Amino acid sequence: LGARHPNFTLNKGLHLVGNGTVIEPQQASPLSFVQIPAGQRACLSNLQFPIWANLGSSYLWGSEMLIHGDVRLEGCSFSTMYGAMTVSGGNVLLRNCQLYADFGGDPLLVTGGVCSVIGTTATGNDGLQVYMLGSHDASPGIRQTGGTLWIAHSTLIGGDIGFMFGQPVLSGKPALLVSGGTAFVVDS
């Protein structure tokens, strides 16, 4: 891929290779879908999914990705407003990726399938309460509600508590929050 590419739907086994390619979310539809049919495999390498701003309207939005199928992500970075990535099924590998949720939501949400996280950093957002902008709670580095999660040689950071006028008002979150499924963590 070239230097920039719009968000996308990938529904067949392809290897998308970027050289730091920036995936530009569309304001009306910031979601990229990766839904790979059985028997096919997809790989996404060296892609960036950043936050975008329209300074004229003071509006921010970011890429989000929904993944289902046999998918490998290598060297990709995600920095989004309301949650970076949801793994809903299949066999997904994240290797040497960076995931951040900057204004709420989860950097990685695993609801089904098998998700392996190797050499990856997942950083939850910090809670915030501001008089004019409202508030949002902190998020964990990774949240799991189903499926199987394997984590090795990775850094997980939960979001910190929110402050208003120097007083804590919102709770912080753990690095990994498991409410369903099975998680295995090694050397992380």
Side-chain angles (χ1 to χ4, degrees):
L1 300 177
R4 298 189 179 284
H5 194 277
N7 59 319
F8 55 86
T9 296
L10 180 61
N11 55 14
K12 59 184 168 183
L14 289 176
H15 189 165
L16 299 180
V17 179
N19 187 12
T21 301
V22 175
I23 304 300
E24 298 177 341
Q26 308 304 308
Q27 185 173 351
S29 177
L31 193 61
S32 289
F33 293 95
V34 178
Q35 298 174 317
I36 306 304
Q40 295 184 34
R41 174 179 294 162
C43 180
L44 287 74
S45 300
N46 300 317
L47 303 176
Q48 297 179 36
F49 296 80
I51 287 180
W52 285 91
N54 181 338
L55 300 177
S57 65
S58 298
Y59 186 75
L60 297 170
W61 67 95
S63 296
E64 300 173 42
M65 182 173 282
L66 177 61
I67 298 179
H68 188 99
D70 192 351
V71 181
R72 185 175 74 215
L73 294 105
E74 294 183 349
C76 294
S77 66
F78 297 85
S79 182
T80 70
M81 291 295 292
Y82 301 110
M85 183 182 305
T86 300
V87 174
S88 62
N91 188 3
V92 177
L93 168 65
L94 286 89
R95 183 185 301 261
N96 301 323
C97 294
Q98 306 289 321
L99 300 113
Y100 301 94
D102 292 319
F103 195 75
D106 302 306
L108 176 59
L109 172 62
V110 178
T111 62
V114 176
C115 183
S116 301
V117 178
I118 301 172
T120 292
T121 300
T123 305
N125 74 293
D126 293 335
L128 176 68
Q129 183 163 4
V130 178
Y131 176 69
M132 294 295 287
L133 298 176
S135 65
H136 66 270
D137 202 2
S139 69
I142 297 177
R143 181 184 310 264
Q144 180 185 16
T145 61
T148 302
L149 179 62
W150 295 89
I151 302 170
H153 309 290
S154 294
T155 301
L156 310 179
I157 302 170
D160 205 349
I161 60 176
F163 288 89
M164 184 171 193
F165 306 115
Q167 301 296 316
V169 293
L170 300 169
S171 65
K173 291 292 188 258
L176 173 63
L177 183 58
V178 178
S179 60
T182 305
F184 301 93
V185 181
V186 178
D187 294 331
S188 294

